[in-house]
Amino acid sequence: MSSLSVPQSVPTPAEDCDQLRKAFQGWGTNESLIISILAHRNSEQRKLIRQTYGETYGEDLLKVLERELSSDFERALLLWVLEPSERDAFLANEATKMLTSNNLILVEIACTRSSHELFLVRKAYHARFKRSLEEDVAYHTAGDFRKLLVPLVSSFRYEGDEVNMTLAKSEAKVLHDNILEKAYSHEEIIRILTTRSKAQLSATFNQYNNVFGNAINKDLKTDPNDEYLKLLRSSIKCLTYPERYFEKTLRLAINKTGTDEWALTRVVTTRAEVDMQRIKEEYRRRNSIPLDHAVAKDTSGDYEKMLLALIGHGNAQV
């Protein structure tokens, strides 16, 4: 699942900090040394490195990285060094701001994280921004977007595999009836999508397909330019097939005229320790080219090296 490559014998946090300190000193920053350490440590190890660096040198490692690095490489490394919940809180906050507003990122975080992970994101958001994620999402959205997004980011779904097939059949009909009436923001659609477990939703969507002859997302494509419908389809894809959602996000980030570095960086840094292997398989299946080859073709320098280290360049499918 994870594409992260961690050495069998890992130096102590103090040893890593000593090497990082050396990388920052002198006439030029040793970016290769920084990558060789931080891109090959898991989240717990990175947390200890950041903590040890602060205790040893009296400086927050993030502040040092911000000072020493620049551009897309800096953003990738800063996001990577943050704890997962801190990173998601930062990305969610960015997504609610006017100049960097992006409702799809809110959907990503709300629908592809576990209930406990999303709870930790809300907790980290409180700690960092002194406000709740829910209030910021509510304040910066309106209408149907607010109706969907606030309960999505507030949810705490059941994580088990148990499924009620009778319920799946009845709620598939509820979804179909409302979609048929073009009542896409009906409270019952919102209720089902924002409260049911992922296993229950998968069963409901399968029933929808079997009984009504169409995948639910196909029936939600009546207007491809409708931003709310796009958000609804993305929510469903994130809840049921996250690797397909992230493959498409990467494909659009890489293949469009001019790389979307923010999207590319976000997906690689948030999924490297989760399901990047599955995303790589899906990317290869969909595009007939390994993901690392596509990334190498579209990026350069230390930014390229960092991304390739995280997606497992040496383990690319051939």
Side-chain angles (χ1 to χ4, degrees), residues 61-201:
L61 178 59
L62 287 175
K63 296 287 184 189
V64 181
L65 290 170
E66 206 172 337
R67 187 176 67 230
E68 295 289 334
L69 309 176
S70 62
S71 196
D72 297 315
F73 176 50
E74 175 197 345
R75 182 174 172 85
L77 207 46
L78 289 174
L79 285 176
W80 179 244
V81 171
L82 286 170
E83 288 181 54
S85 59
E86 283 184 297
R87 182 196 305 134
D88 281 345
F90 172 80
L91 289 169
N93 178 259
E94 207 171 52
T96 63
K97 290 181 175 175
M98 189 178 293
L99 294 177
T100 49
S101 175
N102 191 328
N103 289 332
L104 281 173
I105 294 175
L106 297 173
V107 162
E108 251 177 54
I109 293 168
C111 298
T112 66
R113 278 45 164 179
S114 70
S115 294
H116 182 63
E117 287 167 345
L118 184 54
F119 172 74
L120 291 179
V121 174
R122 292 198 293 266
K123 196 174 170 184
Y125 201 99
H126 282 189
R128 178 160 184 170
F129 302 107
K130 312 306 176 194
R131 299 184 303 276
S132 74
L133 173 58
E134 298 90 328
E135 71 177 293
D136 276 0
V137 171
Y139 181 72
H140 291 284
T141 55
D144 291 345
F145 295 94
R146 182 187 289 167
K147 278 175 72 175
L148 175 65
L149 288 169
V150 173
L152 270 182
V153 300
S154 312
S155 67
F156 195 87
R157 301 173 194 274
Y158 174 62
E159 289 287 331
D161 295 325
E162 289 81 359
V163 165
N164 182 329
M165 288 309 297
T166 305
L167 185 66
K169 289 174 185 175
S170 68
E171 293 196 332
K173 186 177 186 309
V174 169
L175 291 171
H176 183 261
D177 288 350
N178 281 293
I179 290 171
L180 207 60
E181 294 295 321
K182 299 191 187 309
Y184 303 121
S185 61
H186 191 280
E187 62 182 22
E188 284 296 273
I189 290 183
I190 304 290
R191 176 188 64 78
I192 292 166
L193 289 184
T194 61
T195 64
R196 294 300 183 199
S197 73
K198 292 177 183 180
Q200 184 67 38
L201 285 171

Side-chain angles (χ1 to χ4, degrees), residues 72 75-76 79 87 91 94 100 102 104-105 108 113 245-256 258-272 276 279 291 295 299 303 307 311:
D72 297 315
R75 182 174 172 85
L79 285 176
R87 182 196 305 134
L91 289 169
E94 207 171 52
T100 49
N102 191 328
L104 281 173
I105 294 175
E108 251 177 54
R113 278 45 164 179
Y245 170 85
F246 286 117
E247 179 281 323
K248 184 177 181 181
T249 304
L250 287 171
R251 174 164 31 99
L252 293 175
I254 293 169
N255 292 351
K256 65 200 288 188
T259 310
D260 183 350
E261 287 87 0
W262 276 35
L264 178 57
T265 299
R266 184 181 77 251
V267 174
V268 172
T269 56
T270 60
R271 308 314 291 180
M276 184 53 76
I279 295 168
L291 177 59
V295 169
T299 57
Y303 178 56
L307 295 183
I311 64 176

